[in-house]
């Protein structure tokens, strides 16, 4: 189904793209960029002496179609904040411009640097409102073989911890607290297990917005640490981007993005698709001093091995999405209906630790989601913006374990000593989900000095599970969860927009339900006692937030925010996933009272150099903090979420960025993120102090940082080409795996410090139409660990080919 759908989508895209290129008119096209190589959106291009003109888009790309072109035609380009330029065509109808800043009219520089791209323009208002937000322009990473997670983890304050290679389970946090992930403002949970941070290719994404602490009401988030909003590529012109990469561990990744809008009737078609595959058969090494020892069996005795390879850890996923709709109509700025299909298959090599070696455990799923979206400025009344989205989805997952015996790291099975063979598992989970999201924003005046935003999200999940071995014909017992989040915010601007405030209140509601089979039977299968029992819980809370920014001078200012926020447990945390995650029905929502403050400064040393500095700190008191522990069940280690009654978190982060023209870029950031047990007494009698009071929460990084240095050169081998070399380094300081107050450092379980280096070399020609890149990850083959000492891949090499047509 997916293959035929992808073929059909490709046919449509190529057909409309070819039709769109067929014209008898002459045209001028090219890119508008600044002195640092950043695209300039909204630049105006006019032919001298004519009234006809056009403007550049988010990529800085423009195309001006006309009937009267000659070698003596003069093209003029102007852009706010830049010096205008005129150029005689001389019969050359492909013209690129690189504009210089006009220092006399320069506007406020955004926190993320000197750029004036649309990716930064769209979040400039949020930055000014006091939210601690940073932006990653993914177009700068389009030639990398990386997934979203590998780019995201380089941001300050962000930790992304994986169990293994491509497609593995992960834990994502911002400043040590749980963070929510959105795709175009829609919770990622609604896209199924095939859509994940660690398998979405970079080519599908325009930018990533990272909100730390207070999250804008329009996202409808119940996160504590913050939120990530992934903005996918959306163009109104013809656009086609294809890429394919191959690398170590037999890893294949392909991506497609295509868009077309009929200029006459504004009918638009856009599509996204990707495919990922990897054997994940990388080498892992024993490290006895850290408790990492791999063993095989010889003559029924365990024998340690210096190194082993994963052998049952294959992963693949695929997704195809198509949306059809209309743009720029009197009744709608955008109206789209869409359909998404995805599938994945993941072998489960390990449980929660390296001691649980699976040989036949795997999970596969198929997912289908129709969607509807509507956006309209001046909806019903002037200055009222409406954004409405609805979706329903159906997911079928099968979890199977066909191995009757346990495995060792030699890759062979071992008989269970004195025990029966393992029970076979064949479980089917059917999950239905529906989401409705409405967002209304009203500006009281044209200058947007006062704005009111109302957002309502309702999300319902219903899961039924059945055992296909014991009772295939009987529908399993249901588990349901419904989440309501309502947010109302008021934004105001004072003193010529130097002071901006945002005040918000939120309502959180969580309704949970499950049925449990508590029946007991005798040896003749006769009911002895018990029944099918239903349980339900309802939680509701009120939260609030305040965010403020004061611009001290043109390129610098201070920010402050405070909030009380809640985070609701996920379906897997409450009900388990049927595989490695155990259920915990007693899990409670976590609450946090947060304070955040920061300072930013941006400056141009001259027209060729820029410097950006950003510093922020936070202090948070969390109640019922959700953490993860290992629980042993029938000799197998599993993960389980649990509450820590009270945790105190505090820390700081800083980032410095430097750039010289579009030749040299350098970024260095560092994060300090401490979490301490904040419950002093063992019970309400206040008689005994807990052993863990005041000590660090185990199994979480607390000092980490990144460095990225890039060097580029244009027109080396031909006009319109670009060669770029980037070096990245990620550092994580050692941290405790078990309680930090027990034993000496030499005897404590801890994960060692690790420094991982990567190198990327890319070459683009024909004005970024054709691209080839090579990437070497973990150059020094560092022993990199994350969750519970589960080692990640070592040194690996990848090559990527990419074609981008406009």
């Amino acid at each position: 189904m997916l293959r035929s759908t992808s073929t059909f989508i490709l046919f449509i895209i190529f057909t409309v793209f070819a039709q769109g290129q067929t014209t008898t008119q002459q045209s001028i096209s090219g890119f508008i960029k600044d002195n640092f190589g950043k695209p300039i959106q909204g630049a105006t291009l006019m032919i001298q002496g004519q009234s006809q003109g056009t403007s550049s888009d988010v990529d800085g790309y423009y195309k001006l179609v006309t009937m009267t072109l000659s070698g003596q035609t003069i093209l003029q380009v102007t852009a706010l904040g830049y010096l205008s330029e005129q150029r005689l065509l001389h019969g050359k109808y492909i013209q690129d411009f690189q504009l210089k800043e006009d220092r006399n009219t320069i506007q406020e520089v955004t926190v993320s640097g000197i750029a004036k791209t649309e990716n930064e323009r769209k979040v400039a208002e949020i930055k000014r409102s006091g939210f601690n937000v940073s932006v990653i322009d993914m177009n700068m990473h389009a030639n990398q073989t990386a997934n979203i997670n590998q780019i995201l983890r380089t941001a300050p304050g962000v930790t992304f911890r994986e169990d293994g290679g491509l497609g593995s389970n992960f834990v994502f946090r911002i400043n040590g607290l749980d963070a929510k992930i959105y795709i175009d403002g829609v919770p990622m949970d609604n896209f199924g297990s095939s859509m994940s941070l660690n398998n979405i290719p970079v080519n599908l994404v325009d930018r990533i917005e990272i909100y730390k602490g207070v999250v804008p009401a329009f996202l409808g988030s119940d996160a504590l640490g913050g939120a990530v909003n992934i903005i996918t590529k959306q163009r109104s012109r013809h656009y086609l981007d294809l890429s394919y990469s191959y690398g170590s561990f037999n890893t294949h990744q392909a991506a497609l993005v295509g868009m077309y809008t009929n200029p006459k009737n504004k009918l638009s078609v856009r599509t996204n698709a990707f495919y990922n595959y990897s054997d994940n058969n990388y080498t892992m090494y024993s490290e006895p001093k850290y408790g990492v020892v791999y063993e095989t069996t010889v003559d029924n005795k365990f024998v340690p091995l210096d190194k082993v390879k994963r052998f049952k850890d294959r992963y693949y996923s695929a997704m195809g999405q198509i949306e059809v709709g209309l743009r720029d109509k009197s009744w709608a700025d955008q109206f789209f209906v869409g359909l998404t299909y995805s599938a994945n298959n993941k072998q489960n090599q390990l449980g929660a630790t390296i001691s649980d070696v699976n040989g036949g455990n795997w999970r596969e799923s198929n997912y289908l989601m129709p969607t509807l979206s509507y956006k309209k400025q001046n909806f019903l009344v002037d200055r009222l913006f409406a954004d409405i989205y609805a979706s329903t989805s159906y997911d079928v997952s099968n979890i199977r374990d066909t191995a009757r015996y346990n495995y060792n790291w030699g890759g062979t099975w071992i008989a269970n000593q004195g025990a029966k063979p393992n029970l076979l598992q064949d479980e089917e989970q059917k999950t239905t989900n529906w989401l409705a999201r409405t967002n209304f924003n009203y500006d009281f005046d044209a200058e947007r000095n006062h704005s009111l935003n109302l957002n309502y999200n309702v999300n319902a999940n219903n899961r039924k599970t059945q055992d296909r071995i014991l009772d295939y014909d009987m529908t399993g017992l249901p588990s349901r969860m419904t989440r309501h989040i309502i947010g109302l915010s008021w934004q105001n601007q004072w003193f010529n927009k130097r002071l901006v405030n945002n005040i918000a209140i939120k309502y959180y509601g969580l309704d949970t339900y499950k049925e449990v089979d508590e029946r007991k039977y005798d040896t003749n299968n006769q009911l002895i006692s018990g029944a099918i029992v239903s349980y339900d819980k309802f939680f509701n809370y009120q939260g609030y937030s305040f965010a403020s920014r004061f611009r001290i001078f043109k390129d610098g200012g201070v920010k402050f925010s405070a909030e009380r926020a809640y985070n609701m447990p996920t379906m897997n945390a409450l009900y388990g996933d049927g595989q490695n995650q155990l259920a915990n029905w007693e899990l409670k929502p976590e609450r946090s009272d947060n304070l955040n403050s920061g300072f930013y400064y941006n400056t141009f040393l001259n027209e060729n150099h820029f410097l950006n500095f950003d510093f922020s700190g936070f202090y948070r008191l969390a109640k019922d903090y959700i953490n993860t522990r290992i629980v042993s069940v029938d000799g197998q280690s599993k993960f389980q979420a649990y509450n820590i009654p009270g945790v105190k978190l505090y820390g700081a982060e800083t980032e410095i960025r430097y750039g010289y023209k579009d030749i040299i870029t350098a970024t260095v950031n560092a994060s300090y993120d401490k979490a301490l047990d904040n419950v002093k007494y063992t019970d309400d009698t206040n008689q005994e102090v807990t052993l863990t009071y005041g000590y660090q929460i185990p199994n979480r990084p607390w000092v980490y940082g990144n460095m990225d240095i890039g060097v580029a050169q244009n027109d080396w081998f031909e006009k319109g080409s670009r060669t770029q070399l980037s070096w990245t380094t990620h550092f994580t300081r050692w941290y405790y795996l078990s309680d930090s107050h027990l034993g000496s450092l030499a005897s404590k379980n801890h994960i060692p410090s690790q420094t991982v280096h990567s190198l990327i070399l890319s070459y683009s020609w024909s004005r970024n139409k054709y691209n080839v890149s090579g990437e070497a990850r973990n150059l020094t083959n560092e022993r990199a660990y994350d969750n519970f000492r589960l080692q990640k891949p070592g040194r690996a090499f990848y090559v990527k080919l990419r074609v981008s047509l406009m």
Side-chain angles (χ1 to χ4, degrees), residues 115-127:
K116 297 292 191 301
T117 71
E118 175 67 5
N119 286 342
E120 291 153 330
R121 286 177 186 270
K122 286 188 175 180
V123 296
E125 181 180 345
I126 298 175
K127 289 176 179 291

Side-chain angles (χ1 to χ4, degrees), residues 25 97 141 205-206 226 229 246 279 384 422 435 698 727 805:
Q25 295 176 320
F97 292 86
H141 305 277
V205 180
D206 242 347
N229 193 17
Y246 173 76
D279 288 333
L384 177 62
N422 297 335
L435 169 72
W727 179 283
L805 305 175

Side-chain angles (χ1 to χ4, degrees), residues 550-584:
F550 181 73
R551 180 161 52 89
I552 302 174
F553 34 81
K554 181 172 59 178
D555 295 332
V558 294
K559 295 179 292 184
F560 173 80
S561 62
E563 71 170 338
R564 167 166 288 186
Y566 292 85
N567 176 48
M568 307 299 175
T570 63
M571 280 286 288
N572 286 343
L574 282 174
Y575 303 113
D577 67 355
Q579 198 169 38
N580 287 337
Q581 177 88 27
L582 289 180
N584 185 355

Side-chain angles (χ1 to χ4, degrees), residues 126 129-133 174-175 210-217 219 221 223-227 489 502-504 506 508 544-548 560-565 593-596 618 620:
I126 298 175
S129 65
F131 294 107
N132 185 7
V133 57
I174 296 178
N175 295 147
I210 307 172
Y211 300 91
K212 301 171 185 177
V214 177
V215 176
L219 281 179
S221 175
L224 295 183
S489 65
N502 188 288
I503 303 171
K506 283 186 178 181
Y508 307 83
Y544 49 83
S545 66
F546 171 77
S548 181
F560 173 80
S561 62
E563 71 170 338
R564 167 166 288 186
D593 295 319
N594 305 330
L595 294 175
N596 307 273
F618 66 91
R620 295 169 182 172

